[in-house]
Amino acid sequence: MFTKDAGSTTAALVAILHTVNNMLSSNPYVRVFALDFSKAFDTVRHNTLMEKLSELSIPDHIYNWIHNWLNNRTHSTKFAKEVSKVSAVTASIIQGSGLGPAAYLVTAADLRPIRAGNRIVKYADDTYLIVPEANSSISNDELSNIQTWATRNNLNLNYTKSKEITFVLASLADLLNNFLHHVRLRAWTN
C-alpha cells in the first residue's frame, strides 16, 4: 500500500508491474482491474475509521487526538448575507491534510483478495486488483467482494471510471515479427 508522497507513484507502478511480471512467468495472461471509488476521501465515516483505529496498536493519546479532531465537526455555508443551517459532519477526511491520506489507508487496510494468488495494490484512494489466468474464473467474485467491502465502508465503486487491462506474455517470435513489420512500414513510408 502506498501514499501519495513524492516518489510513491513510481513505487506503486513498480509494484504493479513486478506483480504482473511474476504472474506472467506461470500464467499466459494477467488481468488488472483499476478501480475508482467516487469521492473516496469525502465518504469515509468517522465512526468506521475510529473502529479500525481502535484495532491498531497505537498509543491512546494518538487515538484520542484523532477522535477529537474528527468529533463534533460542523459545516455551514455563507453566501452573500445568507448563512445555511449548521450541519454535523460525520464523514469525510481532508485529502490535503497530513492525516487525510493516512486515515484513508487505515480505512482501506482490510480490503484483501479472497483467493490466494490474487493481489490488491493500493495507492492512496486508487486500488488495483491483479488476477492471474489461473484465478480468472473468480474475477467476478473478487469484484463482488470489493463491492461488498465498499458498501460496508460507505464507498461507491465507480464502474464507469474503473477499467480492466489484460497483460499477455508475447513470445520472442511475436515480438520479432512485430518489430520487423514496423521496420518494413517505416521503410515503405519514408
Side-chain angles (χ1 to χ4, degrees):
M1 189 174 320
F2 302 93
T3 60
K4 288 193 175 178
D5 295 329
S8 62
T9 303
T10 302
L13 289 173
V14 167
I16 292 166
L17 292 174
H18 178 75
T19 301
V20 167
N21 191 47
N22 283 343
M23 288 179 175
L24 283 174
S25 68
S26 58
N27 291 273
Y29 65 88
V30 175
R31 299 170 74 183
V32 177
F33 299 87
L35 306 171
D36 180 80
F37 295 104
S38 299
K39 302 186 181 282
F41 283 86
D42 296 336
T43 58
V44 171
R45 282 192 222 109
H46 296 166
N47 62 341
T48 303
L49 173 60
M50 295 312 298
E51 285 173 20
K52 291 181 180 191
L53 281 171
S54 71
E55 296 171 9
L56 299 177
S57 178
I58 61 173
D60 287 345
H61 69 279
I62 301 293
Y63 177 88
N64 292 335
W65 179 82
I66 295 169
H67 181 267
N68 289 338
W69 187 68
L70 295 173
N71 201 25
N72 297 321
R73 297 184 73 87
T74 59
H75 174 79
S76 68
T77 303
K78 181 179 181 181
F79 180 74
K81 294 181 180 180
E82 299 292 322
V83 178
S84 70
K85 181 178 108 182
V86 175
S87 299
V89 177
T90 59
S92 182
I93 49 178
I94 302 166
Q95 186 171 0
S97 69
L99 188 59
Y104 182 81
L105 291 177
V106 169
T107 301
D110 61 348
L111 175 58
R112 295 183 185 89
I114 54 176
R115 172 69 65 91
N118 295 342
R119 299 285 179 265
I120 291 181
V121 176
K122 302 167 202 155
Y123 168 64
D125 60 337
D126 298 325
T127 302
Y128 301 89
L129 170 65
I130 307 172
V131 181
E133 178 273 337
N135 293 342
S136 187
S137 64
I138 64 143
S139 293
N140 286 339
D141 295 340
E142 289 284 8
L143 293 169
S144 292
N145 175 58
I146 292 169
Q147 177 59 61
T148 299
W149 174 88
T151 301
R152 191 172 56 246
N153 286 279
N154 200 40
L155 295 167
N156 181 34
L157 186 56
N158 184 338
Y159 291 99
T160 305
K161 288 186 175 181
S162 296
K163 304 294 179 196
E164 177 185 359
I165 183 170
T166 302
F167 291 86
V168 178
L169 184 62
S171 69
L172 184 57
D174 291 338
L175 292 173
L176 184 58
N177 284 336
N178 191 29
F179 173 74
L180 292 174
H181 174 73
H182 286 290
V183 169
R184 274 186 250 135
L185 279 178
R186 269 192 230 115
W188 178 257
T189 58
N190 286 338

